[in-house]
Amino acid sequence: MVRMFVNGQAMSGGSIHAPLTDARFLGRAWTAPRYRFWSFRDEFPGLEPVSTDGWSVPGELYAVSYAVLRERLLPLEPPELELAVIELADGSGSLSMRVRAEALAGAVEIRHPDGWHGHLATRQPG
């Protein structure tokens, strides 16, 4: 089992959450304040590690098997993202998806305190 931090469509209620329904939910979590957070066409978000101007991005933490990660979750991730090890707010590490450096063109920065869900709520008409 490994820890996987998710902050977008793999979170509860998201379009690619199904692979995590049998994983053990470890709770809400935040990244260390070393990341910028980007929206890609309002379809999915991505973390970018930075040395300045970062913030703590909210998400969910799961204990997941390598098999579920390899066979069920990672194949659903968009090509703009790659698997990486990130730092959480408590100083520990976790696997997570992050933006590939060459994929940032056209992305819109998210700074909503509620992360992806908050960003999407502000984009909904009405």
Side-chain angles (χ1 to χ4, degrees), residues 25-26 32 35 55 78 84 90 105 107 113:
F25 178 64
L26 301 175
Y35 301 90
W55 64 287
D90 66 3

Side-chain angles (χ1 to χ4, degrees), residues 3 22 57 62 81 88 114:
R3 294 185 338 155
D22 294 329
V57 177
Y62 290 86
L81 303 180
L88 297 175
D114 292 329

Side-chain angles (χ1 to χ4, degrees), residues 2-16:
V2 294
R3 294 185 338 155
M4 181 71 179
F5 175 82
V6 296
N7 54 35
Q9 294 302 88
M11 289 192 301
S12 300
S15 62
I16 65 168

Side-chain angles (χ1 to χ4, degrees), residues 39-95:
S39 172
F40 292 81
R41 303 171 299 280
D42 288 340
E43 295 172 11
F44 62 90
L47 291 173
E48 175 197 21
V50 294
S51 56
T52 60
D53 199 30
W55 64 287
S56 291
V57 177
E60 297 173 349
L61 194 60
Y62 290 86
V64 63
S65 70
Y66 283 113
V68 166
L69 189 64
R70 178 184 62 244
E71 297 164 16
R72 296 182 58 211
L73 183 60
L74 292 181
L76 299 176
E77 293 288 354
E80 292 91 344
L81 303 180
E82 63 186 358
L83 188 63
V85 177
I86 64 158
E87 182 182 358
L88 297 175
D90 66 3
S92 67
S94 176
L95 294 176

Side-chain angles (χ1 to χ4, degrees), residues 78-126:
E80 292 91 344
L81 303 180
E82 63 186 358
L83 188 63
V85 177
I86 64 158
E87 182 182 358
L88 297 175
D90 66 3
S92 67
S94 176
L95 294 176
S96 185
M97 301 307 291
R98 76 170 201 187
V99 175
R100 294 179 190 273
E102 66 277 6
L104 278 171
V108 174
E109 188 169 10
I110 299 170
R111 282 281 182 164
H112 197 285
D114 292 329
W116 180 242
H117 289 156
H119 169 75
L120 288 180
T122 65
R123 308 294 281 186
Q124 299 300 319

